[in-house]
Amino acid sequence: FQRIALLALLGPGLALRLYGLEAQILWHDAIYTKFFVSGHRASEWKAALFTGKIMDVSEVLAFQTHSASKGVLATLQGLAHDEPQHPPLYYALLRVWIGLFGDEPGAIRMLSVLSGVCAIAAMYWFTRELFCNRAARADHRRDAAAPAHLSPAGVSSAPIFAAPVLAAALLTTSPLFVRYAQEAREYALWSALVLASCAALLHAIRYPAQARWWILFSTITAVSLYTSLSTVAVMGAQALFIAVRERGRVTHTSLTAAGALLAGLLCFLPWMV
């Protein structure tokens, strides 16, 4: 039932994020996204555009035009040189996206739209991981206290298991998440990755002996770092959560989580340098 409900939410979620997509103008941040993705150095377009003179539209658009001579590598080099506070993953993906689908306003926003839909699924996964252990413990306590023939298995956990669908529905209709899913910026992609990272961490804690979940958590963390530097704050919150959960003790879970976070940070080292 839950999975059917999630699939039923993805359609309206996509529709809400597509509504009015072409009608909105490209504002300040989106224009800078086009500058970054085009591969032109800031020194080039600032020298040409910030002259105090009236410019022709074609002169401005020249620095937002994407040519075959300036591919993904030029985008990465430009960001590393001029805007290193913007990690490169979203802009590199958008450069590839533009090469496939063009650079019309609706086209460049579609990457964020799809990321916003993925965030709905990530919220469902995160909330499911957050509540499933609690539901299992509640069932265990209830079954232990009640006579076997009177134990109403599954009843007490039903409201808890409804939480993932409710959380996904709230994110589906959230004006904030809908709005940012229409921005030609990295916010929607980062939201999906943060939710997936937290979900992977909770799943890894449930199955600490299964290394693949820790590897997945570390990988998503690294990808999230390459999307936004704000991931550092999320990593701090995750580390604090582990410390509180383990009551400050050095345990297998705390050591493995620390190793996974460190591995994600080390993967980000090339961009840090």
Side-chain angles (χ1 to χ4, degrees), residues 129-171:
E129 294 295 337
L130 193 63
F131 284 97
C132 65
N133 274 351
R134 187 178 301 176
R137 288 195 299 270
D139 285 344
H140 178 75
R141 287 194 300 267
R142 186 198 62 247
D143 293 345
H149 66 286
L150 296 178
S151 179
V155 174
S156 68
S157 63
I160 296 177
F161 276 123
V165 176
L166 177 60
L170 289 172
L171 192 143

Side-chain angles (χ1 to χ4, degrees), residues 1-264:
F1 168 78
Q2 285 187 0
R3 293 177 182 177
I4 295 174
L6 174 62
L7 291 174
L9 287 171
L10 296 181
L14 177 61
L16 283 171
R17 285 151 181 78
L18 289 174
Y19 180 75
L21 195 66
E22 297 267 7
Q24 301 173 42
I25 64 169
L26 290 176
W27 72 296
H28 177 278
D29 279 12
I31 294 299
Y32 271 92
T33 293
K34 294 191 74 175
F35 280 144
F36 298 160
V37 174
S38 68
H40 294 287
R41 293 290 177 86
S43 56
E44 297 177 47
W45 52 265
K46 284 182 179 179
L49 300 179
F50 291 89
T51 62
K53 300 178 181 179
I54 296 176
M55 309 293 293
D56 186 82
V57 172
S58 60
E59 295 177 273
V60 179
L61 292 179
F63 291 96
Q64 301 175 42
T65 303
H66 309 87
S67 63
S69 63
K70 291 185 179 293
V72 175
L73 183 59
T75 299
L76 297 178
Q77 290 173 335
L79 283 169
H81 186 269
D82 301 323
E83 302 284 345
Q85 75 275 14
H86 289 287
L89 179 62
Y90 168 78
Y91 300 96
L93 289 175
L94 186 59
R95 180 65 187 87
V96 175
W97 183 272
I98 286 172
L100 295 173
F101 303 107
D103 61 355
E104 293 299 315
I108 67 172
R109 288 170 173 150
M110 272 302 298
L111 183 59
S112 292
V113 168
L114 296 178
S115 298
V117 174
C118 289
I120 298 171
M123 174 61 89
Y124 170 84
W125 182 26
F126 171 53
T127 315
R128 185 177 175 85
E129 294 295 337
L130 193 63
F131 284 97
C132 65
N133 274 351
R134 187 178 301 176
R137 288 195 299 270
D139 285 344
H140 178 75
R141 287 194 300 267
R142 186 198 62 247
D143 293 345
H149 66 286
L150 296 178
S151 179
V155 174
S156 68
S157 63
I160 296 177
F161 276 123
V165 176
L166 177 60
L170 289 172
L171 192 143
T172 298
T173 56
S174 165
L176 181 70
F177 280 91
V178 170
R179 183 67 186 87
Y180 275 108
Q182 296 183 329
E183 287 284 333
R185 300 292 273 187
E186 65 269 25
Y187 311 124
L189 176 60
W190 183 67
S191 299
L193 288 169
V194 165
L195 289 166
S197 171
C198 293
L201 173 60
L202 291 173
H203 197 85
I205 291 171
R206 285 176 58 207
Y207 302 100
Q210 298 183 11
R212 65 179 183 273
W213 294 110
W214 291 110
I215 294 171
L216 178 63
F217 165 60
S218 184
T219 301
I220 297 174
T221 298
V223 174
S224 184
L225 279 167
Y226 274 99
T227 304
S228 173
L229 292 182
S230 297
T231 303
V232 173
V234 177
M235 294 171 68
Q238 291 170 337
L240 179 61
F241 167 74
I242 292 293
V244 172
R245 184 184 185 278
E246 300 301 309
R247 300 177 182 177
R249 298 171 299 177
V250 178
T251 63
H252 178 270
T253 297
S254 62
L255 287 174
T256 309
L261 287 169
L262 181 60

